[in-house]
Amino acid sequence: MVFGGFEGVRWNRKRRRILVAVDYLWVGTISAFFMAAPTLEDLYGGWIWTLFLVALVPVALVNLLSFTALKASIQNLTDKKATELDERQESVWHRAHYLSYKILGTTLLAGMGYGVIAFQLFPGQLWLPAGDQFFFLWAILFFLFSTLPTAVAAWTEPDLEPEGGF
Amino acid sequence: MRKAKESAGGNEPVIYNRLKVLRVERGLSRQKLAGVLGINYQTVGYIERGDYNPSLELAFRISEFFGLPVEAIFSREPFRPLSEEVYGRTGADTSKRQARQGAG
């Protein structure tokens, strides 16, 4: 847990879903911007990179904070070991990782399929990542790999019960 | 009397339970019951709300704790209200009685 202040966060499912959607939308927007950046640089000049870096830092920080809060709001169950979970939490843990594996696997296969088609069938005609964009793609994959189980669990978990309530 | 609508598996069979009635009857909080059963208090809430069907092993642990047969706590059919089961009173009887009291 990076920020201990989130321990008491108990968000309902609607709020958790909004946060997950906003987080991924931001990352998607930044990614699209980065992929289009060489073209944008042609259009608007080098200052577009400064804008990009200025935008990237707050997005990264907000994502870090929001995923820490999301983890707390589902009782950090995607970070726990199987021995620390009860049977329901364990089934949520397995489902979250299974769905994440499917999403990440599909994304990777689709990306590789596109790469093969673009490289072999339409060389020079379709967009392919170049230079720094490869590293950024890896960063996106790492982000998905590390956040998807929490996002899936936060998306699917029903509303939590008030602590100690009758 | 709650039924399990949707749990970890998605389309699980509907299981009704009387867990909340029994817990409140004994003056136990969710946390206290969860501690005794060795599960998270959220799981008690999910079972009560019908969001999760417990495993057979957990169902037996619950029945042993309350000293009741499993079928007294969990059922595939909706439970009749306790007042009806114990005293044979139905909702209609109660309404009539309330109407009489209101008239008197």
Side-chain angles (χ1 to χ4, degrees):
Chain A
M1 189 80 181
V2 182
F3 305 98
F6 288 118
E7 288 294 349
V9 172
R10 294 287 179 268
W11 286 333
N12 62 20
R13 180 153 67 178
K14 190 180 172 189
R15 189 176 287 190
R16 277 185 265 128
R17 283 184 170 182
I18 290 171
L19 200 61
V20 168
V22 168
D23 278 343
Y24 282 110
L25 207 65
W26 278 5
V27 171
T29 308
I30 289 285
S31 308
F33 180 85
F34 191 78
M35 295 307 155
T39 321
L40 291 173
E41 192 178 342
D42 292 342
L43 291 173
Y44 299 108
W47 67 268
I48 206 87
W49 287 103
T50 314
L51 179 71
F52 172 74
L53 288 172
V54 167
L56 189 66
V57 173
V59 166
L61 198 66
V62 168
N63 267 313
L64 182 68
L65 285 169
S66 60
F67 269 98
T68 309
L70 276 174
K71 279 182 184 192
S73 74
I74 52 165
Q75 298 189 304
N76 292 306
L77 63 84
T78 48
D79 284 346
K80 287 180 180 166
K81 293 174 194 160
T83 49
E84 298 172 282
L85 304 171
D86 68 22
E87 59 172 56
R88 191 199 68 84
Q89 292 174 314
E90 213 177 316
S91 74
V92 173
W93 191 97
H94 283 299
R95 186 184 41 167
H97 283 83
Y98 167 70
L99 285 173
S100 305
Y101 162 78
K102 277 177 81 173
I103 294 168
L104 203 60
T106 308
T107 309
L108 273 172
L109 279 176
M112 285 166 73
Y114 172 82
V116 168
I117 290 168
F119 190 71
Q120 292 288 336
L121 301 179
F122 304 98
Q125 294 176 53
L126 291 175
W127 175 86
L128 276 171
D132 294 344
Q133 290 174 335
F134 270 114
F135 294 110
F136 196 76
L137 279 177
W138 275 110
I140 294 167
L141 282 176
F142 179 76
F143 172 77
L144 285 176
F145 179 79
S146 53
T147 59
L148 267 176
T150 300
V152 170
W155 190 273
T156 53
E157 272 287 89
D159 293 345
L160 300 181
E161 296 287 344
E163 229 158 307
F166 264 94
Chain B
M1 319 301 156
R2 292 305 186 111
K3 61 175 181 175
K5 298 159 283 190
E6 184 191 335
S7 58
N11 296 319
E12 292 224 354
V14 176
I15 302 287
Y16 299 84
N17 74 76
R18 275 178 171 150
L19 190 59
K20 189 170 186 176
V21 173
L22 293 167
R23 178 177 63 77
V24 173
E25 206 175 65
R26 283 157 177 78
L28 293 167
S29 68
R30 281 190 201 95
Q31 267 179 329
K32 191 129 188 169
L33 178 62
V36 173
L37 297 171
I39 56 175
N40 189 278
Y41 74 93
Q42 293 291 346
T43 302
V44 174
Y46 288 128
I47 296 171
E48 286 180 358
R49 284 188 340 210
D51 285 333
Y52 176 67
N53 286 346
S55 68
L56 193 55
E57 199 270 330
L58 178 56
F60 275 117
R61 255 190 290 158
I62 293 169
S63 77
E64 277 165 22
F65 173 74
F66 287 111
L68 293 166
V70 171
E71 63 269 24
I73 307 171
F74 299 98
S75 170
R76 292 172 62 195
E77 301 297 323
F79 283 106
R80 286 158 60 201
L82 278 175
S83 56
E84 188 185 328
E85 222 162 87
V86 178
Y87 298 108
R89 282 185 187 151
T90 62
D93 294 336
T94 312
S95 305
K96 274 183 205 166
R97 190 160 46 82
Q98 282 170 345
R100 269 203 310 272
Q101 281 171 349

